[in-house]
Amino acid sequence: MCRSLVWIFCAGKLGRRERSDKDEGLWNCCFLCLPGTVFSICCHLLHATLPQISPSSPVPTSGLSLAVIFSYKRSVSVGRGTRKRDEDSGTEVAEGADEWAQSKATVRPPDQLELTDAELKEEFTRILTANNPHAPQNIVRYSFKEGTYKLIGFVDQLAVHFSQVGNLIPKDSDEGRRQRYRNNLVTGSEESAKLVISEAEVVEEEDEPKEAEAGSQTDVPAAEAAEKVAEELMTPKQPKERKLTNKFNFSERASQTFNNPLRDRECQMEPPPRTNFSATANQWEIYDAYVEELEKQEKTKEKEKAKTPVAKKMGKMAMRKMTSMESQSDDITKVTQAAKIVERMVNQNTYDDVAQDFKYYEDAADEYRDQEGTLLPLWKFQNDKAKRLAVTALCWNPKYNDLFAVGHGSYDFMKQSRGMLLLYSMKNPSFPEYIFSSESGIMCLDMHMDHPYLVVVGHYDGNVAIYNLKKPHSQPSFRSSAKSGKHTDPVWQVKWQKDDMDNNLNFFSVSSDGRIVSWTLVKSELVHTDVIKLKVEGSTTESLEGLQLYTVGCGTAFDFHKEIDYMFLVGTEEGKIYKCSKSYSSQFLDTYDAHNMAVDAVSWNPYHTKVFMSCSSDWTVKIWDHTIKTPMFIYDLNSAVGDVAWAPYSSTVFAAVTTNGKTHVFDLSINKYEAICNQPVVAKKKNKITHVQFNPIHPIIIVGDDRGHVTCLKLSPNLRKMPKEKKGQEVQKGPAVEIAKLDKLLNLVREVKTKI
Amino acid sequence: MAEVEETLKRIQTHKGVIGTMVVNAEGIPIRTTLDNSTTVQYAGLLHQLTMKARSTVRDIDPQNDLTFLRIRSKKHEIMVAPDKEYLLIVIQNPCE
């Protein structure tokens, strides 16, 4: 009660100042009347004063603040009013107990909420919960099951205010164990090191005491030993405990050595020489490389095989010379091949129509021409150098079907000059492929069957020579001379023979001096052998001393039998044809009185073994069977016949050229009496055609005239007729057919003759 | 050596030939009868074309090789003959 009184006193004291209306009264009456009410009032006042006190001294009110929080009455207003007069409280306390009674009047601020008592007494309960005030309370989720939005009952109330990732790991986790293990290892090693040191120290200590105080200190070493043992015992148990360094009896010593001054030493070398290399690797480049390798290997093999000591040196010298020559020679020489190709191309362009004709043109008019044919002129070959020289020989190359050789010389006895050998290709009509010139006119030539690069020529002066086309020299490789038995008269015909038994090249020549000579190429020298001497029969006269003189016939043409190797025919200036054998040197096998003038050409039929043909300047062409003395067929061509040739594709077709510029083609199976083609071939009539040759493969013939021109002509289809197919029968092709064809004809003729 | 010169001369004087040139493996003209700018143009373009043509032929069959290349146009015909190190180009007007 005194307490309460005290309080009241205080309150009254304070309350004196407030002179509010209602409250003043209240205060006073309560105080005087009832003790119970006094308490309540005390409480009331207590409450009232509390707020006043509270701002000045927070500590004392702490205990009571709870009560305020939990339940407070609306007496705060009173307190507020009193609070304002706080500052003055000190001074006015002393003043008056009189005013104390009046001081209970509370002062209200003007904007204070006015509430009724009931309202004032209302208790408001505030509950602390752990709910997150910011968590939403109305989260809805769409439920597919029911197809509507549904409220989620439980909402997560966790509010994270702060989070930090730490680096603590539990001891027993994997990582924790691993780290512990690692640490133990480290400490263990340290420990072991320390252990070693400590042992050493201990040992040292042991030694020292031992030494110092031998007797009395026995305990110490023992103790130390014990310690040591204990340590040892300890350390295995806890090997991973690190020894903590004691600040007091632990000293660490360190010393720093001089840092050596650093120096940089550099050395720069010359950069190695570099080259850039780039190449492509295609399939064909790889192929090329392999081919080169192969060639190299083959070369080395050949070198090994063909080596002789002398040859070696020579070879090397030659090689060196070659290489040096190559390096010195002008670059332009390497374009030869390309230049050749281009020249041909250019010519092809220029003579495009001719080339097309050659390949594809077939004279369609032949169908209407009954049985006659024509010769289509294709190219014309001529060369300035050989302009005034007559074509004296023509020969197709057996291997390259577009290459042919033309021999130039002169038939004129009075005008004898130089000679030329030109080789043309049909692919390049404007310029010959090879040019050889000689001092004496070339009268005849022949190309070897097996070695198509060897050409043998016979000269007007009686010499023979062999040209090697592989070697580009203008001079012949081998030449006969007066010493080696050349002819004394022009060589009219030369022909290659098969290689003799020693594999030496072999050819025959016939000349006006009446000798038929066989030449053999033995070790780069021409060795001659007289095969036969053409004696004119019936001309042997006896002279003095029993010598037999005979007139020598002049051979002008010869031909070897295709199958019977030793047999050959010789035509003479007298018009006779002798059938001779290589083995008989003095006697002829047979003689034919062929012509009235010199026989210009004789030729065996390519298919029929018995038939041969001859032509002469007496305007006739005669076809013989060598078993019969009289000719089978005789043709009069109104002009001196220069040359006659069988066609390679048929046994009954042949061509003859005359000096009036005409070419006659005969086909005995079609027309026995007349030529099926009779055509002037050269431009001017003055040009005499001297030779004709059939191409072995293509249906063309070349014709040479005495102006040095060679014309190439295509045979029209009628001229190359093959036997017609009969219905139901297969056409047989081959030599047998041809032979049979000719046989038939011959039989006809023979029958006629026998009849006659 | 003289032979090649002669051949080239003959080609040049042949009917319808407009010009000839020799180009080396890198496409640089060595010899020509045409003017400089034309030569350079022809050389560069034809060199590339020839390389392409050659690689085409050889890719199809490595044992094969390009012999020559002919390009016929309205006005004239360009003929290229490739060699191991050189290229010979001839422009001709095929008379028709």
Side-chain angles (χ1 to χ4, degrees):
Chain A
M1 280 302 285
C2 358
R3 201 175 156 205
S4 61
L5 277 169
V6 170
W7 277 111
I8 286 163
F9 175 77
C10 293
K13 210 181 7 172
L14 294 163
R16 197 177 53 169
R17 267 154 229 123
E18 321 159 340
R19 302 231 181 201
S20 70
D21 310 323
K22 275 188 189 176
D23 294 343
E24 234 181 287
L26 260 169
W27 287 118
N28 295 330
C29 73
C30 287
F31 174 65
L32 291 170
C33 294
L34 296 160
T37 51
V38 167
F39 182 71
S40 66
I41 289 160
C42 291
C43 293
H44 200 70
L45 287 167
L46 185 76
H47 290 298
T49 51
L50 280 169
Q52 194 179 358
I53 297 163
S54 58
S56 53
S57 57
V59 175
T61 57
S62 60
L64 297 162
S65 59
L66 272 171
V68 175
I69 290 163
F70 280 110
S71 61
Y72 69 93
K73 297 183 179 166
R74 293 182 190 232
S75 53
V76 179
S77 53
V78 175
R80 275 196 203 135
T82 53
R83 214 184 291 163
K84 287 179 187 174
R85 310 289 162 88
D86 207 11
E87 293 146 10
D88 301 334
S89 63
T91 51
E92 286 187 48
V93 170
E95 273 189 50
D98 330 5
E99 292 180 3
W100 174 78
Q102 298 167 0
S103 66
K104 292 203 180 130
T106 52
V107 181
R108 280 188 170 199
D111 58 350
Q112 196 178 63
L113 194 62
E114 292 200 5
L115 297 161
T116 60
D117 272 342
E119 284 176 10
L120 282 169
K121 284 178 188 170
E122 229 183 302
E123 280 196 0
F124 288 93
T125 318
R126 285 247 169 123
I127 308 166
L128 278 181
T129 59
N131 285 341
N132 184 1
H134 295 295
Q137 289 154 355
N138 54 354
I139 295 180
V140 287
R141 284 275 145 82
Y142 188 77
S143 160
F144 285 93
K145 187 177 166 189
E146 289 156 39
T148 54
Y149 285 98
K150 280 184 86 182
L151 265 176
I152 291 178
F154 177 72
V155 178
D156 193 15
Q157 301 289 330
L158 180 69
V160 176
H161 295 284
F162 176 73
S163 74
Q164 185 192 16
V165 179
N167 51 9
L168 299 171
I169 36 178
K171 256 192 192 174
D172 293 328
S173 69
D174 282 338
E175 186 56 37
R177 277 198 214 121
R178 263 187 244 134
Q179 283 189 4
R180 266 205 294 174
Y181 181 69
R182 252 184 262 139
N183 282 336
N184 289 339
L185 278 178
V186 170
T187 51
S189 64
E190 284 178 17
E191 268 293 311
S192 60
K194 282 185 186 170
L195 188 66
V196 168
I197 295 163
S198 67
E199 278 180 7
E201 284 174 2
V202 166
V203 166
E204 281 175 14
E205 284 171 14
E206 276 185 15
D207 290 337
E208 283 176 12
K210 272 182 185 172
E211 287 169 9
E213 302 164 1
S216 59
Q217 300 289 331
T218 45
D219 290 339
V220 178
E224 285 180 345
E227 279 179 13
K228 191 177 151 196
V229 169
E231 269 186 16
E232 282 179 5
L233 285 170
M234 284 284 282
T235 43
K237 282 184 190 173
Q238 299 163 353
K240 290 157 194 173
E241 278 185 16
R242 289 179 63 194
K243 253 189 182 174
L244 293 171
T245 52
N246 193 341
K247 275 190 225 173
F248 302 103
N249 60 4
F250 177 81
S251 70
E252 194 178 321
R253 283 200 195 143
S255 69
Q256 184 168 20
T257 54
F258 281 117
N259 284 339
N260 287 329
L262 293 173
R263 246 194 213 176
D264 265 336
R265 268 229 173 128
E266 283 179 359
C267 170
Q268 185 164 24
M269 303 203 304
E270 272 182 32
R274 284 185 210 171
T275 49
N276 271 338
F277 174 76
S278 69
T280 49
N282 284 330
Q283 200 183 2
W284 49 271
E285 293 217 3
I286 297 168
Y287 173 79
D288 272 347
Y290 275 118
V291 165
E292 261 185 59
E293 265 298 307
L294 205 73
E295 278 173 16
K296 272 187 196 171
Q297 281 179 10
E298 277 174 15
K299 269 187 187 173
T300 49
K301 274 185 194 169
E302 279 177 20
K303 277 184 187 173
E304 282 169 17
K305 278 183 190 173
K307 256 182 192 170
T308 59
V310 178
K312 243 197 221 175
K313 283 184 189 171
M314 288 300 291
K316 278 186 186 170
M317 286 294 290
M319 277 292 287
R320 274 186 218 146
K321 269 191 184 173
M322 272 255 290
T323 46
S324 63
M325 276 294 284
E326 278 176 19
S327 60
Q328 284 170 12
S329 67
D330 198 359
D331 295 326
I332 207 77
T333 47
K334 292 175 190 170
V335 199
T336 34
Q337 191 65 21
K340 256 194 182 167
I341 294 171
V342 170
E343 202 186 349
R344 287 187 182 186
M345 274 201 276
V346 164
N347 273 301
Q348 193 182 16
N349 274 343
T350 318
Y351 297 109
D352 185 41
D353 46 353
V354 177
Q356 299 284 336
D357 281 344
F358 157 70
K359 261 283 179 173
Y360 305 116
Y361 181 75
E362 303 289 354
D363 199 348
D366 267 11
E367 288 177 43
Y368 309 108
R369 248 188 242 135
D370 214 7
Q371 278 165 357
E372 286 176 355
T374 51
L375 294 166
L376 179 71
L378 295 173
W379 299 287
K380 204 171 184 187
F381 302 88
Q382 60 196 16
N383 195 334
D384 283 342
K385 289 182 190 171
K387 221 173 189 176
R388 265 168 250 133
L389 298 171
V391 171
T392 54
L394 290 171
C395 185
W396 285 98
N397 191 304
K399 191 175 175 190
Y400 300 104
N401 298 314
D402 60 295
L403 187 68
F404 63 90
V406 183
H408 291 274
S410 175
Y411 284 119
D412 199 341
F413 176 70
M414 299 304 291
K415 293 182 193 170
Q416 276 300 316
S417 62
R418 61 197 170 84
M420 292 209 70
L421 175 65
L422 301 172
L423 281 110
Y424 283 95
S425 164
M426 292 198 306
K427 296 174 186 171
N428 184 355
S430 60
F431 200 76
E433 303 288 311
Y434 302 95
I435 305 177
F436 302 98
S437 64
S438 63
E439 292 163 350
S440 170
I442 292 173
M443 304 311 292
C444 54
L445 65 91
D446 193 28
M447 288 195 185
H448 202 286
M449 282 300 264
D450 300 324
H451 308 280
Y453 52 88
L454 290 174
V455 181
V456 64
V457 294
H459 291 286
Y460 198 88
D461 61 359
N463 275 316
V464 291
I466 299 176
Y467 286 88
N468 190 337
L469 296 178
K470 280 191 180 175
K471 291 169 194 175
H473 306 293
S474 182
Q475 292 307 307
S477 312
F478 313 104
R479 209 154 187 262
S480 70
S481 60
K483 271 195 283 180
S484 58
K486 71 174 186 74
H487 291 279
T488 49
D489 267 340
V491 178
W492 288 104
Q493 192 131 21
V494 284
K495 265 238 157 70
W496 282 106
Q497 298 301 305
K498 290 179 195 163
D499 288 354
D500 68 359
M501 289 193 279
D502 299 327
N503 285 334
N504 291 321
L505 299 168
N506 184 22
F507 66 91
F508 273 60
S509 68
V510 66
S511 163
S512 298
D513 64 357
R515 281 162 54 216
I516 295 172
V517 178
S518 159
W519 301 84
T520 317
L521 193 68
V522 179
K523 286 186 186 175
S524 79
E525 269 189 26
L526 282 172
V527 176
H528 83 282
T529 325
D530 274 4
V531 174
I532 209 166
K533 273 211 167 85
L534 301 167
K535 285 178 234 166
V536 178
E537 281 176 25
S539 63
T540 50
T541 54
E542 289 252 350
S543 77
L544 301 161
E545 295 164 12
L547 277 172
Q548 278 190 324
L549 290 172
Y550 49 83
T551 355
V552 173
C554 311
T556 51
F558 71 171
D559 193 18
F560 287 83
H561 198 274
K562 302 282 186 287
E563 282 165 32
I564 306 168
D565 208 22
Y566 55 84
M567 193 160 78
F568 62 94
L569 296 163
V570 184
T572 60
E573 259 184 44
E574 294 83 41
K576 287 203 170 75
I577 296 177
Y578 301 109
K579 188 164 72 175
C580 316
S581 162
K582 286 186 199 174
S583 26
Y584 291 103
S585 59
S586 50
Q587 256 194 332
F588 308 124
L589 295 173
D590 213 342
T591 315
Y592 307 91
D593 286 323
H595 294 276
N596 302 319
M597 287 181 76
V599 177
D600 279 331
V602 284
S603 177
W604 286 100
N605 188 303
Y607 294 98
H608 205 287
T609 49
K610 286 187 181 177
V611 177
F612 70 90
M613 177 167 64
S614 69
C615 74
S616 161
S617 317
D618 67 355
W619 299 7
T620 57
V621 172
K622 295 185 183 177
I623 297 175
W624 310 76
D625 181 333
H626 76 98
T627 51
I628 301 171
K629 291 264 180 172
T630 51
M632 300 276 109
F633 300 97
I634 303 171
Y635 300 99
D636 195 330
L637 297 176
N638 290 331
S639 180
V641 184
D643 197 6
V644 70
W646 289 104
Y649 51 83
S650 167
S651 63
T652 52
V653 177
F654 65 91
V657 285
T658 56
T659 46
N660 62 355
K662 278 190 179 180
T663 306
H664 309 260
V665 179
F666 291 82
D667 190 347
L668 298 173
S669 56
I670 295 174
N671 191 333
K672 284 201 292 273
Y673 307 107
E674 274 183 349
I676 51 171
C677 173
N678 193 338
Q679 187 174 324
V681 182
V682 278
K684 296 181 186 174
K685 278 199 176 175
K686 282 185 192 174
N687 284 357
K688 302 170 197 172
I689 307 178
T690 49
H691 282 277
V692 68
Q693 280 288 320
F694 278 86
N695 185 308
I697 309 277
H698 304 292
I700 52 175
I701 55 169
I702 40 169
V703 169
D705 65 6
D706 68 342
R707 290 289 164 129
H709 304 148
V710 176
T711 316
C712 183
L713 302 147
K714 185 165 183 178
L715 300 161
S716 68
N718 268 348
L719 302 172
R720 342 177 222 127
K721 264 194 182 160
M722 293 291 146
K724 279 185 186 171
E725 301 165 19
K726 288 185 184 170
K727 287 180 188 176
Q729 271 186 353
E730 281 181 20
V731 178
Q732 288 169 337
K733 292 197 176 174
V737 178
E738 303 292 333
I739 295 169
K741 208 170 42 163
L742 196 54
D743 258 343
K744 231 181 8 179
L745 290 164
L746 290 172
N747 288 333
L748 278 171
V749 178
R750 270 182 227 142
E751 278 173 16
V752 169
K753 286 213 164 161
T754 49
K755 275 183 190 171
I756 292 171
Chain B
M1 191 172 132
E3 240 187 76
V4 188
E5 297 280 350
E6 249 187 75
T7 313
L8 290 172
K9 204 175 157 192
R10 262 184 283 134
I11 296 169
Q12 181 54 36
T13 52
H14 199 92
K15 202 165 144 198
V17 171
I18 300 168
T20 56
M21 62 188 91
V22 180
V23 178
N24 79 345
E26 287 147 28
I28 300 166
I30 294 171
R31 225 184 202 238
T32 176
T33 56
L34 301 167
D35 60 282
N36 202 19
S37 55
T38 322
T39 305
V40 167
Q41 201 178 20
Y42 268 104
L45 295 166
L46 285 168
H47 179 256
Q48 289 174 35
L49 186 62
T50 315
M51 289 299 125
K52 191 75 184 178
R54 187 187 235 158
S55 76
T56 309
V57 168
R58 297 212 77 185
D59 277 342
I60 292 168
D61 179 8
Q63 291 177 335
N64 207 353
D65 197 6
L66 183 67
T67 321
F68 62 81
L69 189 65
R70 271 184 135 139
I71 305 161
R72 201 158 194 158
S73 69
K74 280 186 199 167
K75 294 189 185 175
H76 42 245
E77 179 162 341
I78 304 166
M79 289 169 278
V80 182
D83 204 31
K84 267 198 170 173
E85 297 167 23
Y86 294 93
L87 213 65
L88 182 57
I89 302 167
V90 172
I91 306 150
Q92 190 191 18
N93 192 358
C95 356
E96 290 168 66

